[in-house]
Amino acid sequence: MSARSDVVIPKKATWAEVAPFYDELRNRPLNAGNIRAWLDDFSSLDEVVDEAYVLAMIDYTADTGDAEREVTYRRWATEILPLLHEIRVRLGQRLLEFADHLPDLAIFLRELETDVEIFRAENVPRMAALEEMEATYDKITGGLTVDWDGEPKTIPELQPYLLDRDRRVRERAFRLGSAAYLEKRDEIANLFHEMVATRHALGREAGFENFRDYSFAAKYRFDYSADDCMRFHEAVEVAVLPAILRLHEERRRQLGVDSLKPWDLQVQPGRDKRLTPFSTMPEFLAGAQRIFDRIDPELAGFFRQMIDHRLLDLESRQGKSPGGYCTRLPKRGEPFIFMNAVGVHDDVNTLAHESGHAFHTYLMRPIRYMWQRTTGHEAAELASMVMELLAAPHIEKPTGFYSATDAAVAQIDHLEDILIGLPHIACVDAFQHWIYTDGIEASPADRDAKWLELRERFEPGVDYTGLDAERVSRWYRQSHIHTIPFYYIEYGLAQLAALQVWRRARRDPADALARYKAALSFGGTRTLPEIFATAGASLVFDSVTMVELVAEVEARIAELRVEAKQRAA
Ligand SMILES: [Zn+2]
């Protein structure tokens, strides 16, 4: 019997090097007596293979301009992953025959059963083509730079200018960022057009009416439906938009402007300067460490380990893929955090967010099989969004980064962002529902028009007069729509659950933290409603619950405004 844990798969592996290990698992005779040993080998092999892929992905996103890294990553994405998916489905079919012997794997087997049901060999080339197109989107957007006073800047590096006190500076940054995407509009629009067609064909091939229904199955959405998402969109309109209009009106008043332009949405009103939490990466790390030390010794230990093991790539650099992520190195049992920090308050939230994902990885480490050391995005984003909210009370010096006033301002900012995020989530989700159902015959121009219509619905109170093109550019920038379709409503469901945990934490922090850690430790061994319930939360699609949570956030914002004033005095 081969010992899978000894297998070594290099980053630069080819399918020919990987396949024999899976073939051996495929051909090994199975019975109730050896199924566990086979499972251990399968899980260990998947760990090693996934880790090689993840390392190649990290390398590539760290420098999208490096041709060799790109070749290696693309080989994984376009050649190996689709074939890997196929063989894993075949192995899954074998596994399902022993389901009666594996009650501890029930949740995973339910997912596996779905994989087997929706798998079509005819779709493997489509999946490869999609991986290729998605990598192309990353390449186009990762390479975007703008000229700022003769200096090339990445799109994330424009962020500080969007927070500038000077309205003209903000406007220029906004217009430059939009223009960078508009310049690539045709290229991205054509690419997306082809992606939609390929995804639609893939969904149909698998026996679904459209790619949306296929995606709900492929994403194992057993606990909510497309109709629930529609309810979510409507509830956001009823429960969240009125609060946002109130916040916008207050902002408009404080800024002393006639109408709020899109470049007025991020600046902190009533302040001379934007918040500057840190100026060097070591300062950033040390501050984050002190915050986690205050939250929980175990979680703080995880973060210290990440620093020691060099599992953080935080600063923005040219060529680096935009955005942030936390990924897992399943063989090592450790996470890796990637982001584009430029010294703004968002960076603090992003690091707290990605650290929440990282802590989830550590807490799941004791679970036996790799496939159970993962969850759907709803539970994953709960881990991260709760961490942002738990970190917030500690951002004041000497623990955190800010004076008392700045800490209050930063918390107001964060809570406002949470509320403003909800209609954006509804908008991105509604857009995708339309794209893959009623809008399936749409042209690229139709999609832009639909986006504008949805922005009107979900983004009231902002004056976009004469800025339609810039408003349209927003969806070209929303990478999820292009590269991970239908991954967005999860943020909304997780955010509303996170607010429930936050509400508990404000009354009983120890209990909220204990429940949070217990929920994360389940990994994928429980259903989504069970994980949420353990954390003290539920799935929210209705406006009644949303109204309660929004009211609590608004009340907290009002409190913080008073605090900020008193402390400034
Ligand atoms: Zn996340």
Side-chain angles (χ1 to χ4, degrees):
M1 215 53 64
S2 57
R4 287 282 83 84
S5 49
D6 295 342
V7 171
V8 177
I9 300 289
K11 270 189 281 197
K12 295 193 174 184
T14 60
W15 176 243
E17 289 169 76
V18 175
F21 297 109
Y22 285 97
D23 286 339
E24 189 276 322
L25 288 171
R26 198 170 167 176
N27 297 327
R28 199 190 299 176
L30 280 187
N31 54 58
N34 70 4
I35 185 71
R36 289 284 174 181
W38 183 86
L39 261 176
D40 282 330
D41 286 350
F42 184 9
S43 181
S44 303
L45 176 61
D46 263 4
E47 281 175 9
V48 180
V49 171
D50 263 23
E51 184 141 326
Y53 160 66
V54 167
L55 289 170
M57 188 272 291
I58 292 170
D59 275 0
Y60 173 59
T61 52
D63 186 0
T64 53
D66 184 313
E68 205 181 315
R69 292 178 182 203
E70 185 181 349
V71 168
T72 304
Y73 171 66
R74 284 209 183 213
R75 185 186 308 119
W76 274 102
T78 62
E79 290 175 33
I80 305 180
L81 291 190
L83 293 167
L84 207 51
H85 178 70
E86 179 169 12
I87 196 138
R88 282 170 174 166
V89 169
R90 305 275 179 229
L91 294 177
Q93 270 167 328
R94 300 196 73 193
L95 186 54
L96 285 170
E97 288 166 32
F98 296 89
D100 292 347
H101 301 274
L102 307 165
D104 53 316
L105 283 157
I107 303 281
F108 169 61
L109 293 180
R110 180 171 72 155
E111 297 172 359
L112 203 53
E113 217 173 330
T114 307
D115 287 343
V116 169
E117 266 167 30
I118 69 175
F119 178 79
R120 301 288 182 278
E122 294 81 356
N123 274 337
V124 174
R126 290 193 180 99
M127 286 176 174
L130 281 165
E131 291 280 359
E132 183 74 46
M133 289 187 263
E134 288 153 11
T136 302
Y137 173 87
D138 285 336
K139 175 109 180 120
I140 296 169
T141 55
L144 291 181
T145 54
V146 299
D147 180 87
W148 189 271
D149 294 337
E151 230 186 284
K153 297 257 183 217
T154 64
I155 303 297
E157 281 169 348
L158 283 177
Q159 191 57 23
Y161 302 108
L162 286 166
L163 301 167
D164 202 281
R165 289 299 308 152
D166 187 336
R167 203 180 192 197
R168 287 161 306 181
V169 171
R170 299 201 300 269
E171 177 175 352
R172 201 170 135 214
F174 172 82
R175 286 182 183 275
L176 271 176
S178 302
Y181 282 88
L182 287 174
E183 225 168 87
K184 301 284 178 187
R185 186 267 175 198
D186 292 352
E187 200 179 332
I188 304 176
N190 292 334
L191 182 66
F192 188 69
H193 198 66
E194 207 182 323
M195 285 186 192
V196 170
T198 309
R199 286 171 183 153
H200 185 65
L202 188 149
R204 299 285 291 203
E205 182 78 56
F208 293 86
E209 196 175 323
N210 51 55
F211 180 71
R212 189 225 10 221
D213 294 352
Y214 169 85
S215 291
F216 269 64
K219 290 165 80 58
Y220 315 129
R221 288 182 177 171
F222 300 116
D223 305 293
Y224 61 97
S225 65
D227 283 345
D228 288 325
C229 293
M230 299 301 153
R231 280 170 57 216
F232 181 93
H233 308 157
E234 283 158 23
V236 164
E237 270 186 296
V238 173
V240 188
L241 292 186
I244 288 175
L245 286 172
R246 286 190 286 274
L247 292 172
H248 280 352
E249 178 51 23
E250 174 64 18
R251 166 175 289 271
R252 190 198 61 75
R253 204 184 53 74
Q254 287 190 42
L255 288 173
V257 295
D258 294 337
S259 65
L260 275 189
K261 296 284 186 179
W263 46 83
D264 296 326
L265 298 179
Q266 294 180 58
V267 61
Q268 285 105 13
R271 293 178 46 83
D272 301 336
K273 300 191 306 264
R274 68 176 175 84
L275 295 170
T276 44
F278 56 87
S279 45
T280 67
M281 286 303 130
E283 254 179 71
F284 185 25
L285 284 176
Q289 182 68 62
R290 289 192 303 271
I291 290 171
F292 295 134
D293 285 340
R294 286 287 296 276
I295 295 175
D296 180 66
E298 187 184 15
L299 302 182
F302 295 149
F303 192 74
R304 196 164 288 114
Q305 189 173 328
M306 292 192 76
I307 297 176
D308 291 346
H309 294 183
R310 310 178 71 82
L311 297 167
L312 303 145
D313 178 1
L314 305 186
E315 79 279 9
S316 183
R317 292 184 306 270
Q318 212 171 322
K320 203 170 158 176
S321 183
Y325 64 75
C326 175
T327 186
R328 283 168 307 144
L329 300 163
K331 171 77 177 156
R332 290 169 61 164
E334 291 194 294
F336 182 89
I337 291 179
F338 175 99
M339 59 181 278
N340 280 278
V342 289
V344 296
H345 178 60
D346 249 8
D347 296 336
V348 176
N349 284 337
T350 302
L351 183 55
H353 178 103
E354 303 305 346
S355 297
H357 288 309
F359 300 156
H360 199 177
T361 297
Y362 281 117
L363 288 169
M364 290 187 284
R365 204 157 46 163
I367 299 173
R368 182 167 174 181
Y369 303 112
M370 187 189 88
W371 321 290
Q372 295 180 303
R373 275 177 251 135
T374 184
T375 67
H377 298 308
E378 301 85 356
E381 297 302 338
L382 176 73
S384 55
M385 287 170 154
V386 167
M387 193 41 60
E388 291 179 43
L389 288 159
L390 294 183
H394 304 293
I395 55 174
E396 188 178 331
K397 280 176 183 161
T399 305
F401 301 97
Y402 300 115
S403 70
T405 318
D406 284 1
V409 169
Q411 287 189 74
I412 294 170
D413 226 47
H414 181 217
L415 294 172
E416 281 192 12
D417 281 351
I418 286 175
L419 292 185
I420 290 172
L422 290 169
H424 177 67
I425 290 163
C427 181
V428 170
D429 190 56
F431 188 48
Q432 299 192 81
H433 278 264
W434 174 82
I435 285 172
Y436 295 100
T437 58
D438 293 346
I440 195 63
E441 303 289 342
S443 68
D446 296 335
R447 286 189 196 106
D448 291 351
K450 183 67 183 183
W451 177 258
L452 284 177
E453 179 195 317
L454 287 167
R455 280 324 241 192
E456 280 296 318
R457 177 179 170 200
F458 288 111
E459 200 186 21
V462 185
D463 178 7
Y464 276 92
T465 311
L467 295 166
D468 274 359
E470 286 76 7
R471 199 173 203 181
V472 161
S473 76
R474 183 66 184 84
W475 85 262
Y476 289 92
R477 187 174 183 159
Q478 190 67 56
S479 61
H480 301 72
I481 298 173
H482 304 267
T483 62
I484 31 180
F486 284 102
Y487 182 3
Y488 224 68
I489 190 76
E490 291 94 330
Y491 289 115
L493 300 175
Q495 187 69 78
L496 291 161
L499 287 174
Q500 295 171 68
V501 176
W502 167 76
R503 181 165 61 179
R504 182 182 299 270
R506 295 188 66 207
R507 291 156 181 70
D508 188 347
D511 181 47
L513 183 74
R515 281 168 159 268
Y516 167 75
K517 287 172 69 176
L520 267 51
S521 304
F522 282 148
T525 63
R526 298 287 193 285
T527 65
L528 173 62
E530 285 167 344
I531 293 169
F532 272 24
T534 301
S538 60
L539 286 155
V540 175
F541 299 100
D542 66 291
S543 60
V544 176
T545 316
M546 249 185 241
V547 163
E548 283 170 24
L549 291 167
V550 169
E552 179 118 2
V553 173
E554 271 195 288
R556 180 65 186 141
I557 290 174
E559 264 173 42
L560 286 163
R561 280 199 185 122
V562 173
E563 261 175 54
K565 261 198 203 117
Q566 283 171 347
R567 291 176 161 193

